[in-house]
Amino acid sequence: MRRQPFRAAEGGHLIDRSEPLRFDFDGHRQEGYRGDSLASGLLAAGVRIVARSFKYHRPRGVWGFGSEEPGAMVATGVREEVRPNLKATEIELADGLMAFGQNAWPSVAWDLGAAVGMAGNVLPAGFYYKTFMWPPRWWLALYEPVLRRMAGFGPAPSAPDGAFYAKRRMHADVLVAGGGPAGVAAALAAARAGAKVVLADENVRFGGGLLRAPGEIGESDGLAWIDAAIGELEAMANVRLLRRATVTGYYDHNLLLVAERAGGDAAPGTPETRLWFVRAREAVIAAGAHERPLLFAGNDRPGVMSASAAGGYAHAYGVLAGQRAVIAGNNDSIYAVARLLRGAGVSIAAVADARAESGARDLPCRPGRTVERALGSRRVRGALLRRTDGRAGDRSERIACDLVAVAGGWSPAVHLHTQARGSLSYDEERGLVLPDRPGGANRSAGAAAGRFDLDGCLAEGWAAGVAAAAASGHERPAGEPPRSPDRVAGDAPVFWRIGAGKQFVDLQYDVTAADVELAAREGYRSVEHVKRYTALGMGTDQGKTSGMAGLVLLSEAIGRPVARTGTTTFRPPYTPVPMAAMAAGLIGEGRDALRRTAADDWHEARGAVFTAAGLWRRPSYYPREGMDEEEAISAEVREVRAGVGIVDVGTLGKVDVQGRDAAAFLDLVYANRISTLKAGRGRYGLMLREDGRVFDDGVVMRLGENHFYLTTTTAQHHAAMQHMEFLLQTVWPELEVYATDVSEHWFAAALAGPGSRALLGEVAPGLDVSDEAFPMMAVRAATVAGLSALVFRMSYSGELSYEIAAPADHGLALWTRLLTAGREHGLTPYGTEAMGVMRIEKGHVTHAEADGRTTPDDLGLGRMVNAGRRSIGRRSLDLPALCRKGRQQLVGLAVIDPEARIPPGCQVAERDDMRPAAPLGHVTSFCYSPTLGRAIALALVENGRSRIGQTVYVASPVTGLAMAAEIVPPVFYDAEGTRLRG
Amino acid sequence: MLLIPCPFCGDRDETEFAYGGDAGTERPADPGAATDEAWTDYLCFHDNPKGPHREFWFHRDGCRRWLTVERDTHTHELGAVRLSRP
Ligand SMILES: [Zn+2]
C-alpha cells in the first residue's frame, strides 16, 4: 500500500513535498511532509481513529483544523518526557515525532474502556456527583483508581521538562489578535498610520480562513495578497509579527497574554514556548469564528468532521479526509466545500442543504435534507439523510460514504472580548452571539464580530485598525481598504438537530444532547450550573465548537429564549498554555537574584556550606576534616565560647535615620523608648505591628543628636523598611525624618568570645577597648585593621562581642585582615548554625518565636515595653485578648536523655502516648547544645512560665517519637550575663 | 494586571507596587484615649465595597512613595492617584 494513500497528487499550500518526514503514531511508522500538522499527516496516512473520548472511550477522529479541535487528543514523546493533552491539529509534524492517541489502553484501535460505552446509560450527566458519593471509604479504594485509569487524560511525564521556556514583556500601541484577512487589514492600517503594532496569529502562516479555502482579494489570490501585506509589515520597524502565537488572555488595563510556540524542530535553540505580556493601548480582536457541529446520532464517529476543516485539509495540505463524502449543512458554505473537495479528488455522494430553497446544478444536491444518523461503528461507513421539515411518511435515504462533512454555521470567537468584560448580545435572526459593548480599549472585527464575507472582513478590519491607531494618537493612514468580490454573508438559520439517538454536543467530554436535557429536567436553569453538572465545554477545547449547541439545547429544554439564557463566562486562557511556560523564570536556578556579602568569595574559597536567608546566601558552617555536620558546628561553638570567633553579619538590614524628629519618630516605631539614648550608645529595639504582635527587632545606635543607625533582621528588612516609610508618608507626614536603606552600603562582622577584646585592641590600636572606656552597648568610630569602621559592643552569642561595620567596598579587606590578625589568637570563623546554637543557649528570639502571633510578654520581653500608649502596637497590648491568662509563653526545654536529638516539627505534650490531645505548645527552635551536652529547645507553651520545673514530652506525632524534657527558663547559659563583660 | 500612573514615575506595572490596604481609616491621634471597641474598629474593621475604593499602594520597586489610589474594586478602573504625603 502507498505510504500516504489519502494524499492528493497535487496541491497543499502549507506542505513541501520535497521534504518527506517520518513519524510514529501508536507504534506504527507513518510518513508525511514538512509543513503537515499531525492531524493532516494522520489523515493522509489513512489513520482515522486518533483518540478515545473521556467518558465512554468512544473512538475519536479529527474534527477540526486548529485550536478548536475537540476530539483528536494526543500525547507526544516517550514515557519520561511525554507531553499529554495536545491537539493533533496543532502539532507540527517533525522528523521522528512520536505520538500516541489519548485515553486508550492498550491502543486507540482496541480499547478496553470502550466497554463502558456499551454499558450505555450507566454514566449520565452529573455521574460524578451521583455515583461516587458514598460510602466515602470506597473513594480511595475503588472509585479513584478506576477513574484514574478510565477517565483521565494523558499520562503525566515523570522526568523534569528538558526544554526551556521564556517570558517577554512588550508595549504596543495596537495589538491585533488574529492574522486572517480582518486582522491583517487592521495591522496594515494601524502600521501605515505609524502605530507600534503587534500582530499575533496562532497558525504557522498568516491568512486565517484563507488557509482553509481560496478567496480573492484585490483581483488576485487571497493568500497572495496576505503574503504581500505581511511582507510590507515585516519590513516596517514599528511592527512585530508573531506566528504560532495565540492571544490567550485579556487582562486588566489592556494587558494581553500571547503564547508563542516558538521552539521545536523549526527553530532549534529557541524556547519551547515564549509567553508575551503585551501592554497595548488598543487591541483589535480579529480572532475569527468556529464552525458549529450538527446534532445527529453518531455525529462523533471518526469521519464526521467540520466541513471547513475537510475543505481545509484538501486546500492547505492536499489531503483527502475521505474518498466519498456527504456534505451537510445549513448555509451556502457547503457548496464551496463540495467543489473544493471534488477538485481535490473526493467523490461527492450528496450535498444535503437543510434549507429547502437552495441548490446547485453541478452537485448531487439534496435540498431540505440533513443527516439523521451516521452509520458505522468505529468509523463512518454511510449516512442516513432525512427531510428537515418533518413531513410524515418520508423515508430516510441511505448513502454509503466515509466522510460526513458538517457545516452548522459559525460562532464568532468572542472569548477575548468577554475576557475584557465586554458585553454580548444575541442576534436571534442570525443565531449569533455577538460582541456588544467593549470592556476595554478594544474593538472586534471580521468573523469575530459576525462578518463572514471576505469583503466585509477586510473593510471592518481596516476600519478597526484606523480607529485603534487614532485612539493611540496616530493620524489616519493613507490608502483605502482592500476589497474582495466575495460578499456572500454566509448567515445560517439556527438549526441543530434531527432524529434521536446518541447525539454528541461535546466530543471531548462526551456530553450528549440528552445529558443537557436531563440537567434541565433535574432543575438546572443557569447555563453555568449546567456546564458544571454535565462538564459541557470544560475540556481543553473550552467548548469552542460545542458551546452554542449546548446553549440552544438548554434554552429549548427550559423554554426560554437564548438571549435570556446567556452564555457561560469565558475565562483565560483561550487555548491551553503549558504550565512550564507559566512557571518560566519562577522556578529553578536564576529565579531570584543571589545576594552575596562582601566576604562571600572568602567563604566560598574556605568551602563553607551555604544556607539561604531570603535572597542572601550565608555560610551555614565550615566543614572540618573527619567531622560530621553536628561535630563541626559544635566545634565552632566551643571555640567561640573558649576563645574567639568571627561571623559574617553583612546580611543584617541597616537603616540610616536622620532629621529633626528622628528620635521622636523612633519612639513611635519601637515599643521601647529610644529618645533617651545618649549619642555614642545603642539599645536593643523591639518593633511591633499595630495589632501588638512582635514584628522585628534589632539594635538602634545613636550617632548624633539627630542621627541614628539601626539594624533589622535579615528576613524582615524589606517589610520593616516599607513599614517605616508608610508611617512617615501616611501617618506622621509632619515629622521631619529621612529613613534611608543603607544595607548595601555596609558590611559587618562580629568578633565574639572571651578573646575578642584582645584581638580588637590589636587591630584597632587607636581605640581604648577597656571595659570602662568602651562599655557594653557603646558605639565608636575607629580605624580597624587600617579601615574606617563603626564598632559596636553588643552580644548575640552571650560572649564578650564586638560588631564591626565597614563600607561594603572595604568589607572583604576587613574580613581577611581580621582573619590574618586573628591567626595568633586562634580566631575561628563560624556560620549561622553555630550562631543559632549560641542564641538558643542564650534564649534570644528570632522569627521562629516572633511568629506573628506572639506579644512581647509572650516572649518574656514585656518589661521592655514603654508605658506610654502612642507607639505602634502599644495600644493593642492592653486589649483583653492579648493580656488574658493562658497564652503561650516562651520557655526552654532541656531534653533529659543526652543522646536524644529533637526532630523538626515537634509539639509539647503532657503525655508521651501520642494519643490525640490538644498540645501544650510547640517547639520553635532546637539544637544540640555542645555547651550543655544535650539537646535543648525553645518552645511556646501554654502558661509556660508557671510550668518551670515540670517534665513534659517533646513529641513528634508524624515520626512517633517522644522524649522527656524539663521546662526551664529560656536562658540556658550564663543567665547572669557575667561573660558579656569579659 | 493593573497599570498604575505613579505621579513620579509614570505608568508602571502593578508588579512594581505593594498593596497597602484601605486608605479610608485614620489612626486615632491618641491611641491611649481610644476605647477597646474604637481601637478594635480601627484595627480590624474595614469597608470592603464593590465599587469605588480609596487605598494605599507603595511604589516599592520605583520611587518608594506611598500613593493614595482611587480604584473601582469591580472594574479595576483607576481614578485619582496622588502622593499620600503631599
Ligand atoms: Zn514611582
Side-chain angles (χ1 to χ4, degrees):
Chain A
M1 201 173 78
R2 268 201 309 140
R3 270 261 182 234
Q4 301 186 43
F6 287 82
R7 183 81 66 177
E10 54 189 32
H13 62 80
L14 286 182
I15 55 163
D16 178 358
R17 289 175 189 257
S18 70
E19 201 178 335
L21 303 174
R22 287 169 183 281
F23 69 103
D24 190 290
F25 185 74
D26 266 353
H28 295 282
R29 175 62 67 85
Q30 305 291 0
E31 192 191 276
Y33 292 122
R34 169 78 60 203
D36 262 323
S37 68
L38 177 60
S40 68
L42 289 171
L43 287 171
V47 175
R48 289 292 181 266
I49 303 175
V50 176
R52 291 274 173 168
S53 64
F54 181 72
K55 199 162 88 179
Y56 298 131
H57 285 231
R58 288 168 71 99
R60 290 283 175 265
V62 174
W63 196 90
F65 191 78
S67 64
E68 81 284 5
E69 173 61 46
M73 302 294 296
V74 302
T76 64
V78 287
R79 193 173 297 274
E80 303 81 36
E81 292 178 340
V82 67
R83 282 164 204 260
N85 303 335
L86 304 173
K87 300 177 182 108
T89 51
E90 287 193 304
I91 297 169
E92 287 172 51
L93 215 54
D95 209 32
L97 176 79
M98 289 183 69
F100 304 86
Q102 226 156 260
N103 291 346
W105 185 81
S107 77
V108 290
W110 302 103
D111 175 60
L112 294 179
V116 174
M118 292 171 203
N121 290 332
V122 298
L123 300 177
F127 77 105
Y128 291 109
Y129 309 105
K130 290 168 181 160
T131 316
F132 299 112
M133 292 301 282
W134 298 99
R137 68 175 183 283
W138 283 21
W139 179 256
L140 271 181
L142 181 64
Y143 299 147
E144 200 196 342
V146 170
L147 279 180
R148 284 221 183 267
R149 172 129 243 181
M150 300 284 293
F153 270 156
S158 58
D161 191 338
F164 90 98
Y165 297 82
K167 285 175 181 159
R168 294 278 295 270
R169 283 164 201 283
M170 184 158 47
H171 289 264
D173 291 326
V174 181
L175 177 119
V176 181
V184 171
L188 206 55
R192 283 186 186 164
K196 194 180 168 205
V197 174
V198 176
L199 171 62
D201 187 86
E202 63 183 0
N203 293 302
V204 295
R205 182 177 184 181
F206 288 100
L210 290 172
L211 299 180
R212 303 188 187 198
E216 197 180 325
I217 300 176
E219 287 165 21
S220 69
D221 171 60
L223 265 186
W225 181 88
I226 294 274
D227 286 348
I230 292 298
E232 179 183 339
L233 290 167
E234 205 137 42
M236 295 170 86
N238 55 328
V239 177
R240 186 186 281 272
L241 301 177
L242 295 175
R243 292 178 178 84
R244 303 175 171 89
T246 312
V247 182
T248 63
Y250 197 133
Y251 300 91
D252 296 312
H253 296 186
N254 263 36
L255 182 79
L256 291 106
L257 190 64
V258 186
E260 181 192 6
R261 301 188 305 281
D265 202 41
T270 54
E272 183 74 21
T273 302
R274 197 184 273 132
L275 275 190
W276 293 88
F277 295 78
V278 183
R279 186 76 77 169
R281 288 184 200 284
E282 297 287 326
V284 174
I285 300 167
H290 300 119
E291 188 157 50
R292 303 168 179 171
L294 294 177
L295 302 189
F296 51 84
N299 64 343
D300 65 322
R301 292 297 178 212
V304 178
M305 73 193 298
S306 148
S308 73
Y313 285 109
H315 186 55
Y317 302 106
V319 166
L320 311 181
Q323 286 166 326
R324 191 175 151 82
V326 166
I327 299 154
N330 60 359
N331 61 80
D332 288 342
S333 72
I334 50 177
Y335 302 104
V337 166
R339 290 181 189 118
L340 184 56
L341 290 178
R342 186 178 59 192
V346 179
S347 92
I348 307 300
V351 180
D353 191 330
R355 302 165 301 175
E357 66 275 13
S358 296
R361 284 173 195 281
D362 59 328
L363 291 163
C365 289
R366 300 289 193 280
R369 284 174 174 75
T370 191
V371 177
E372 179 191 23
R373 173 180 292 273
L375 305 170
S377 64
R378 292 177 52 214
R379 50 176 297 181
V380 167
R381 307 241 176 247
L384 288 186
L385 297 190
R386 188 172 159 188
R387 296 186 67 95
T388 52
D389 59 10
R391 196 181 296 169
D394 177 51
R395 290 241 316 271
S396 298
E397 182 187 2
R398 185 187 187 105
I399 299 179
C401 64
D402 62 349
L403 171 64
V404 177
V406 295
W410 296 85
S411 292
V414 296
H415 306 67
L416 294 173
H417 168 86
T418 52
Q419 285 178 22
R421 295 199 189 86
S423 62
L424 297 172
S425 65
Y426 182 66
D427 182 333
E428 194 135 7
E429 204 171 311
R430 302 174 69 204
L432 297 178
V433 174
L434 292 169
D436 191 10
R437 193 176 29 76
N442 67 63
R443 45 195 58 69
S444 296
R451 284 303 292 261
F452 300 122
D453 63 308
L454 192 46
D455 194 53
C457 285
L458 291 165
E460 248 187 42
W462 180 270
V466 170
S472 58
H474 297 274
E475 300 289 324
R476 197 179 178 78
E480 292 296 317
R483 299 298 305 263
S484 167
D486 170 13
R487 284 157 209 168
V488 181
D491 291 351
V494 183
F495 170 81
W496 294 107
R497 64 191 296 207
I498 194 160
K502 218 164 202 170
Q503 305 177 340
F504 284 83
V505 182
D506 184 323
L507 293 187
Q508 193 168 115
Y509 269 15
D510 278 341
V511 181
T512 63
D515 288 330
V516 176
E517 284 155 353
L518 176 64
R521 278 205 306 283
E522 291 185 356
Y524 287 90
R525 290 294 177 271
S526 152
V527 65
E528 294 283 2
H529 293 161
V530 170
K531 168 181 166 176
R532 283 155 184 76
Y533 190 58
T534 61
L536 173 72
M538 288 170 73
T540 59
D541 60 328
Q542 292 278 291
K544 288 183 179 63
T545 53
S546 63
M548 191 65 200
L551 174 58
V552 171
L553 284 170
L554 177 65
S555 300
E556 280 173 3
I558 62 181
R560 199 161 56 186
V562 172
R564 282 193 46 220
T565 304
T567 64
T568 55
T569 309
F570 295 92
R571 293 188 179 84
Y574 172 68
T575 55
V577 177
M579 296 298 282
M582 296 190 201
L586 302 175
I587 53 169
E589 214 177 313
R591 180 191 64 181
D592 297 315
L594 178 64
R595 298 183 78 184
R596 305 166 191 246
T597 72
D600 187 83
D601 284 349
W602 189 93
H603 304 314
E604 179 153 326
R606 180 62 181 253
V609 172
F610 286 98
T611 182
L615 297 181
W616 294 99
R617 66 169 194 178
R618 307 185 68 177
S620 153
Y621 69 99
Y622 301 88
R624 296 184 184 207
E625 198 68 39
M627 289 192 189
D628 67 13
E629 180 178 340
E630 184 185 283
E631 287 164 349
I633 294 164
S634 295
E636 288 177 10
V637 172
R638 266 188 232 103
E639 287 163 25
V640 171
R641 294 232 184 275
V644 56
I646 185 168
V647 62
D648 182 343
V649 291
T651 61
L652 287 180
K654 305 157 199 96
V655 188
D656 184 278
V657 179
Q658 300 192 40
R660 194 186 60 208
D661 302 313
F665 172 64
L666 294 178
D667 273 351
L668 292 166
V669 172
Y670 287 97
N672 51 326
R673 199 173 281 289
I674 305 297
S675 55
T676 52
L677 260 181
K678 290 183 176 55
R681 300 294 294 230
R683 183 170 291 166
Y684 177 75
L686 190 63
M687 264 189 221
L688 305 184
R689 298 195 313 222
E690 188 73 298
D691 67 2
R693 271 66 174 195
V694 175
F695 169 48
D696 197 41
D697 62 349
V699 172
V700 186
M701 285 160 256
R702 191 167 202 164
L703 303 181
E705 176 62 20
N706 293 326
H707 188 188
F708 294 81
Y709 174 99
L710 49 101
T711 65
T712 67
T713 59
T714 304
Q716 289 289 74
H717 175 62
H718 292 291
M721 199 64 219
Q722 182 172 322
H723 174 66
M724 283 190 277
E725 288 172 294
F726 177 80
L727 296 175
L728 282 174
Q729 292 180 38
T730 74
V731 182
W732 301 301
E734 69 280 6
L735 295 183
E736 194 189 303
V737 179
Y738 305 92
T740 310
D741 184 350
V742 294
S743 304
E744 294 286 345
H745 304 52
W746 291 91
F747 170 78
L751 292 177
S756 59
R757 179 177 285 141
L759 176 55
L760 180 65
E762 192 181 304
V763 293
L767 181 67
D768 184 347
V769 295
S770 68
D771 193 40
E772 303 74 48
F774 196 173
M776 187 65 182
M777 303 308 276
V779 58
R780 299 284 181 264
T783 301
V784 179
L787 302 163
S788 300
L790 274 179
V791 186
F792 184 55
R793 183 175 162 194
M794 61 157 293
S795 177
Y796 194 57
S797 57
E799 303 297 333
L800 174 70
S801 174
Y802 302 89
E803 219 168 274
I804 305 165
D809 285 349
H810 297 165
L812 184 58
L814 176 71
W815 179 268
T816 50
R817 287 180 197 184
L818 287 173
L819 262 295
T820 308
R823 214 170 280 155
E824 283 169 24
H825 298 254
L827 181 63
T828 298
Y830 65 100
T832 54
E833 284 296 326
M835 192 168 78
V837 168
M838 290 189 278
R839 75 99 189 159
I840 294 172
E841 290 175 344
K842 282 297 287 182
H844 291 310
V845 300
T846 64
H847 292 291
E849 288 75 33
D851 62 0
R853 290 175 291 186
T854 45
T855 66
D857 184 65
D858 297 341
L859 300 178
L861 303 170
R863 64 193 167 351
M864 284 184 64
V865 173
N866 196 348
R869 296 168 93 194
R870 277 195 71 206
S871 67
I872 293 293
R874 174 63 188 82
R875 174 63 184 86
S876 296
L877 298 179
D878 296 333
L879 292 174
L882 272 68
C883 36
R884 69 178 165 80
K885 294 246 178 310
R887 290 186 63 85
Q888 294 190 340
Q889 296 168 331
L890 183 74
V891 294
L893 295 174
V895 174
I896 289 161
D897 175 1
E899 298 306 315
R901 296 291 183 270
I902 302 172
C906 278
Q907 299 189 338
V908 179
E910 274 185 304
R911 298 190 313 247
D912 65 349
D913 58 6
M914 296 288 168
R915 248 186 275 151
L920 292 177
H922 64 280
V923 170
T924 55
S925 302
F926 59 94
C927 66
Y928 169 73
S929 164
T931 314
L932 279 77
R934 64 182 66 250
I936 61 171
L938 297 177
L940 287 165
V941 173
E942 191 182 301
N943 293 324
R945 287 197 287 271
S946 65
R947 291 180 190 270
I948 284 172
Q950 288 182 12
T951 297
V952 290
Y953 294 90
V954 172
S956 164
V958 286
T959 58
L961 205 73
M963 62 194 80
E966 187 189 346
I967 296 187
V968 297
V971 185
F972 295 87
Y973 176 73
D974 186 31
E976 303 74 33
T978 48
R979 298 187 63 86
L980 300 179
R981 286 180 273 283
Chain B
M1 183 169 34
L2 307 185
L3 192 67
I4 300 174
C6 173
F8 275 128
C9 313
D11 290 347
R12 313 297 301 181
D13 269 355
E14 181 185 335
T15 48
E16 294 183 4
F17 294 81
Y19 182 62
D22 181 18
T25 45
E26 214 158 282
R27 187 174 198 261
D30 181 4
T35 62
D36 281 356
E37 199 181 354
W39 185 254
T40 309
D41 236 34
Y42 153 71
L43 268 186
C44 307
F45 293 94
H46 296 270
D47 289 336
N48 182 20
K50 179 182 178 181
H53 189 231
R54 212 156 59 86
E55 59 201 21
F56 290 121
W57 286 84
F58 179 50
H59 198 186
R60 183 195 55 218
D61 299 339
C63 58
R64 292 193 77 84
R65 292 296 137 202
W66 280 91
L67 309 177
T68 304
V69 175
E70 281 166 22
R71 180 180 63 103
D72 188 304
T73 58
H74 183 224
T75 63
H76 283 324
E77 221 164 283
L78 297 187
V81 177
R82 58 177 182 79
L83 294 178
S84 301
R85 169 160 144 177

Tab-separated table of all heavy atoms in Angstrom, chain B residues 6-10 12 16-17 59 62-65 67, ligand 1:
chain	number	residue	atom	x	y	z
B	6	CYS	N	2.049	56.389	38.431
B	6	CYS	CA	2.747	56.979	39.566
B	6	CYS	C	3.042	58.446	39.231
B	6	CYS	O	3.542	58.730	38.148
B	6	CYS	CB	4.047	56.214	39.831
B	6	CYS	SG	5.078	56.995	41.080
B	7	PRO	N	2.744	59.347	40.140
B	7	PRO	CA	2.995	60.764	39.848
B	7	PRO	C	4.471	61.050	39.563
B	7	PRO	O	4.782	62.001	38.864
B	7	PRO	CB	2.544	61.480	41.117
B	7	PRO	CG	1.688	60.522	41.840
B	7	PRO	CD	2.127	59.152	41.445
B	8	PHE	N	5.361	60.223	40.090
B	8	PHE	CA	6.783	60.422	39.831
B	8	PHE	C	7.260	59.674	38.589
B	8	PHE	O	8.026	60.183	37.800
B	8	PHE	CB	7.627	59.922	41.008
B	8	PHE	CG	7.787	60.929	42.099
B	8	PHE	CD1	7.489	60.598	43.405
B	8	PHE	CD2	8.229	62.212	41.819
B	8	PHE	CE1	7.621	61.523	44.418
B	8	PHE	CE2	8.375	63.152	42.825
B	8	PHE	CZ	8.069	62.802	44.132
B	9	CYS	N	6.831	58.422	38.470
B	9	CYS	CA	7.474	57.501	37.530
B	9	CYS	C	6.651	57.227	36.279
B	9	CYS	O	7.126	56.549	35.382
B	9	CYS	CB	7.779	56.177	38.215
B	9	CYS	SG	8.560	56.357	39.816
B	10	GLY	N	5.413	57.701	36.221
B	10	GLY	CA	4.584	57.415	35.062
B	10	GLY	C	3.851	56.091	35.190
B	10	GLY	O	3.779	55.519	36.272
B	12	ARG	N	3.170	52.463	35.440
B	12	ARG	CA	4.015	51.331	35.827
B	12	ARG	C	3.155	50.120	36.138
B	12	ARG	O	2.043	50.242	36.648
B	12	ARG	CB	4.863	51.657	37.069
B	12	ARG	CG	5.563	52.984	37.044
B	12	ARG	CD	6.573	53.116	35.943
B	12	ARG	NE	7.629	52.112	35.986
B	12	ARG	CZ	8.624	52.065	35.122
B	12	ARG	NH1	8.704	52.949	34.157
B	12	ARG	NH2	9.538	51.136	35.229
B	16	GLU	N	5.328	46.224	40.315
B	16	GLU	CA	6.325	47.073	40.961
B	16	GLU	C	5.805	47.628	42.290
B	16	GLU	O	6.549	48.281	43.019
B	16	GLU	CB	6.675	48.260	40.051
B	16	GLU	CG	7.371	47.868	38.769
B	16	GLU	CD	7.765	49.083	37.933
B	16	GLU	OE1	7.556	50.226	38.385
B	16	GLU	OE2	8.280	48.874	36.825
B	17	PHE	N	4.551	47.394	42.570
B	17	PHE	CA	3.924	48.020	43.734
B	17	PHE	C	3.609	46.988	44.816
B	17	PHE	O	3.491	45.803	44.539
B	17	PHE	CB	2.614	48.704	43.334
B	17	PHE	CG	2.789	49.884	42.416
B	17	PHE	CD1	2.973	49.702	41.052
B	17	PHE	CD2	2.770	51.187	42.909
B	17	PHE	CE1	3.132	50.789	40.199
B	17	PHE	CE2	2.927	52.274	42.067
B	17	PHE	CZ	3.107	52.074	40.707
B	59	HIS	N	5.019	52.287	45.845
B	59	HIS	CA	5.837	52.033	44.655
B	59	HIS	C	7.189	51.484	45.096
B	59	HIS	O	8.210	52.153	45.051
B	59	HIS	CB	5.997	53.300	43.806
B	59	HIS	CG	6.433	52.972	42.409
B	59	HIS	ND1	6.767	53.909	41.475
B	59	HIS	CD2	6.563	51.765	41.791
B	59	HIS	CE1	7.119	53.301	40.349
B	59	HIS	NE2	6.998	52.002	40.517
B	62	GLY	N	10.135	51.310	42.701
B	62	GLY	CA	10.296	52.546	41.951
B	62	GLY	C	10.753	53.653	42.875
B	62	GLY	O	11.801	53.542	43.513
B	63	CYS	N	9.927	54.679	43.015
B	63	CYS	CA	10.329	55.864	43.772
B	63	CYS	C	10.137	55.682	45.278
B	63	CYS	O	10.495	56.558	46.053
B	63	CYS	CB	9.519	57.059	43.294
B	63	CYS	SG	7.746	56.817	43.473
B	64	ARG	N	9.564	54.553	45.686
B	64	ARG	CA	9.312	54.255	47.109
B	64	ARG	C	8.438	55.323	47.761
B	64	ARG	O	8.645	55.704	48.905
B	64	ARG	CB	10.624	54.045	47.868
B	64	ARG	CG	11.329	52.767	47.423
B	64	ARG	CD	12.445	52.344	48.323
B	64	ARG	NE	12.013	51.718	49.559
B	64	ARG	CZ	11.702	50.426	49.699
B	64	ARG	NH1	11.718	49.639	48.663
B	64	ARG	NH2	11.346	49.942	50.873
B	65	ARG	N	7.463	55.773	47.021
B	65	ARG	CA	6.454	56.678	47.587
B	65	ARG	C	5.181	55.883	47.828
B	65	ARG	O	4.814	55.025	47.019
B	65	ARG	CB	6.123	57.820	46.625
B	65	ARG	CG	7.207	58.815	46.394
B	65	ARG	CD	7.566	59.577	47.645
B	65	ARG	NE	9.000	59.680	47.718
B	65	ARG	CZ	9.703	59.903	48.827
B	65	ARG	NH1	9.113	60.036	49.974
B	65	ARG	NH2	11.011	59.983	48.790
B	67	LEU	N	1.319	55.881	47.675
B	67	LEU	CA	0.329	56.589	46.871
B	67	LEU	C	-1.070	56.281	47.405
B	67	LEU	O	-1.322	55.190	47.913
B	67	LEU	CB	0.403	56.142	45.410
B	67	LEU	CG	1.789	56.173	44.756
B	67	LEU	CD1	1.715	55.631	43.343
B	67	LEU	CD2	2.353	57.584	44.753
C	1	ZN	ZN	7.017	55.914	41.495
